[in-house]
Protein backbone atom coordinates (compact mmCIF):
# COMPACT_ATOMS: atom_id res chain seq x y z
CA UNK A 1 0.00 0.00 0.00
CA UNK A 2 1.03 3.55 -0.75
CA UNK A 3 -0.65 6.56 0.82
CA UNK A 4 -0.50 9.84 -1.06
CA UNK A 5 -1.28 13.32 0.24
CA UNK A 6 -1.34 16.35 -2.04
CA UNK A 7 -0.79 19.92 -0.91
CA UNK A 8 -0.11 23.31 -2.40
CA UNK A 9 -3.35 24.03 -4.20
CA UNK A 10 -5.13 27.35 -3.95
CA UNK A 11 -6.37 30.42 -5.76
CA UNK A 12 -4.04 32.24 -8.12
CA UNK A 13 -4.42 34.85 -10.83
CA UNK A 14 -3.83 34.02 -14.46
CA UNK A 15 -0.14 34.13 -15.25
CA UNK A 16 0.81 33.12 -11.74
CA UNK A 17 2.49 30.01 -10.40
CA UNK A 18 1.82 27.24 -7.92
CA UNK A 19 3.78 24.22 -6.79
CA UNK A 20 1.92 21.11 -5.79
CA UNK A 21 3.49 18.50 -3.57
CA UNK A 22 2.60 14.85 -3.19
CA UNK A 23 3.95 13.18 -0.07
CA UNK A 24 4.02 9.40 -0.14
CA UNK A 25 4.21 6.89 2.66
CA UNK A 26 4.18 3.14 2.76
CA UNK A 27 6.20 1.15 0.26
CA UNK A 28 9.40 2.29 -1.42
CA UNK A 29 8.61 5.52 -3.23
CA UNK A 30 11.41 5.13 -5.75
CA UNK A 31 9.83 1.94 -7.09
CA UNK A 32 6.83 3.80 -8.48
CA UNK A 33 6.06 5.98 -11.43
CA UNK A 34 4.33 9.16 -10.29
CA UNK A 35 1.63 10.93 -12.22
CA UNK A 36 -0.35 14.11 -11.84
CA UNK A 37 -3.90 14.15 -13.15
CA UNK A 38 -6.62 16.78 -13.04
CA UNK A 39 -10.37 16.90 -13.29
CA UNK A 40 -12.27 20.06 -14.13
CA UNK A 41 -15.99 20.40 -13.39
CA UNK A 42 -18.04 18.48 -15.91
CA UNK A 43 -14.98 16.94 -17.55
CA UNK A 44 -13.20 13.63 -17.36
CA UNK A 45 -10.00 13.25 -15.42
CA UNK A 46 -6.93 13.73 -17.60
CA UNK A 47 -3.22 13.24 -17.34
CA UNK A 48 -1.12 16.35 -16.75
CA UNK A 49 2.39 14.98 -16.29
CA UNK A 50 4.23 11.86 -15.22
CA UNK A 51 7.71 10.95 -14.07
CA UNK A 52 9.18 7.49 -14.18
CA UNK A 53 11.24 5.68 -11.60
CA UNK A 54 14.40 6.69 -13.47
CA UNK A 55 13.30 10.22 -14.27
CA UNK A 56 11.57 9.85 -17.63
CA UNK A 57 9.19 12.77 -18.14
CA UNK A 58 5.90 12.98 -20.02
CA UNK A 59 3.56 15.96 -20.35
CA UNK A 60 0.14 16.65 -21.75
CA UNK A 61 0.30 18.96 -24.76
CA UNK A 62 -1.81 21.53 -22.93
CA UNK A 63 0.83 22.08 -20.24
CA UNK A 64 4.04 21.47 -22.19
CA UNK A 65 6.46 24.29 -21.55
CA UNK A 66 4.48 25.67 -18.61
CA UNK A 67 4.48 22.81 -16.10
CA UNK A 68 7.33 20.72 -14.79
CA UNK A 69 7.34 17.55 -12.73
CA UNK A 70 10.02 16.29 -10.40
CA UNK A 71 10.56 13.87 -7.58
CA UNK A 72 12.74 13.66 -4.50
CA UNK A 73 13.10 10.02 -3.58
CA UNK A 74 14.87 10.85 -0.32
CA UNK A 75 11.78 12.78 0.77
CA UNK A 76 9.28 10.41 -0.88
CA UNK A 77 7.71 13.42 -2.54
CA UNK A 78 6.69 14.34 -6.06
CA UNK A 79 6.17 17.88 -7.24
CA UNK A 80 4.26 19.66 -9.97
CA UNK A 81 5.50 23.16 -10.71
CA UNK A 82 2.85 25.10 -12.59
CA UNK A 83 3.81 28.38 -14.27
CA UNK A 84 1.91 30.74 -16.55
CA UNK A 85 -1.34 29.41 -15.21
CA UNK A 86 -4.51 29.89 -17.22
CA UNK A 87 -8.17 29.82 -16.15
CA UNK A 88 -8.54 26.55 -18.05
CA UNK A 89 -6.04 24.97 -15.65
CA UNK A 90 -8.68 25.22 -12.93
CA UNK A 91 -9.35 21.71 -11.65
CA UNK A 92 -8.85 19.30 -8.80
CA UNK A 93 -5.35 17.93 -9.13
CA UNK A 94 -4.55 14.38 -8.09
CA UNK A 95 -1.26 12.61 -7.72
CA UNK A 96 -1.04 8.90 -8.36
CA UNK A 97 1.52 6.13 -8.04
CA UNK A 98 1.89 3.18 -10.35
CA UNK A 99 4.25 0.24 -10.78
CA UNK A 100 5.57 -1.39 -13.93
CA UNK A 101 8.51 -1.24 -16.30
CA UNK A 102 7.07 1.35 -18.67
CA UNK A 103 5.90 4.85 -17.80
CA UNK A 104 2.28 5.01 -18.83
CA UNK A 105 -0.23 7.83 -18.88
CA UNK A 106 -3.48 5.90 -18.57
CA UNK A 107 -5.39 6.14 -15.31
CA UNK A 108 -5.59 2.38 -14.99
CA UNK A 109 -1.78 2.22 -14.83
CA UNK A 110 -1.89 3.91 -11.41
CA UNK A 111 -3.05 1.90 -8.42
CA UNK A 112 -2.75 4.50 -5.69
CA UNK A 113 -4.33 7.94 -5.60
CA UNK A 114 -4.35 10.97 -3.36
CA UNK A 115 -7.46 12.81 -2.29
CA UNK A 116 -6.86 15.75 -4.61
CA UNK A 117 -6.16 19.43 -4.16
CA UNK A 118 -8.12 22.29 -5.72
CA UNK A 119 -6.40 24.71 -8.06
CA UNK A 120 -8.39 27.75 -9.13
CA UNK A 121 -7.02 30.24 -11.63
CA UNK A 122 -8.87 33.54 -11.89
CA UNK A 123 -8.89 35.64 -15.03
Amino acid sequence: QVQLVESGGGLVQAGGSLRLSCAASGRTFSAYHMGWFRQAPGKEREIVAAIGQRGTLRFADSVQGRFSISRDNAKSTAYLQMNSLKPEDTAVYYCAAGAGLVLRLEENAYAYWGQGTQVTVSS
Side-chain angles (χ1 to χ4, degrees):
Q1 286 283 347
V2 176
Q3 293 78 43
L4 303 173
V5 179
E6 303 98 334
S7 62
L11 174 64
V12 64
Q13 289 188 332
S17 298
L18 281 175
R19 188 176 81 155
L20 305 183
S21 299
C22 175
S25 60
R27 294 191 174 182
T28 306
F29 177 77
S30 60
Y32 292 88
H33 305 302
M34 297 301 297
W36 285 96
F37 293 76
R38 68 185 180 186
Q39 186 168 23
K43 296 187 177 181
E44 294 186 353
R45 190 156 56 184
E46 63 178 1
I47 184 71
V48 176
I51 183 167
Q53 299 114 325
R54 298 178 181 179
T56 302
L57 305 178
R58 300 281 297 276
F59 294 94
D61 290 344
S62 59
V63 306
Q64 183 77 43
R66 298 189 297 123
F67 290 13
S68 61
I69 186 172
S70 61
R71 63 190 300 159
D72 185 335
N73 290 337
K75 295 182 178 180
S76 297
T77 301
Y79 303 96
L80 183 69
Q81 178 67 43
M82 306 185 293
N83 299 326
S84 302
L85 283 161
K86 305 175 181 180
E88 50 264 43
D89 295 317
T90 296
V92 177
Y93 283 71
Y94 300 89
C95 71
L101 297 178
V102 178
L103 179 61
R104 294 172 56 191
L105 303 184
E106 301 88 348
E107 282 191 45
N108 61 14
Y110 295 84
Y112 304 102
W113 292 79
Q115 82 288 349
T117 185
Q118 177 70 47
V119 171
T120 302
V121 184
S122 64
S123 58

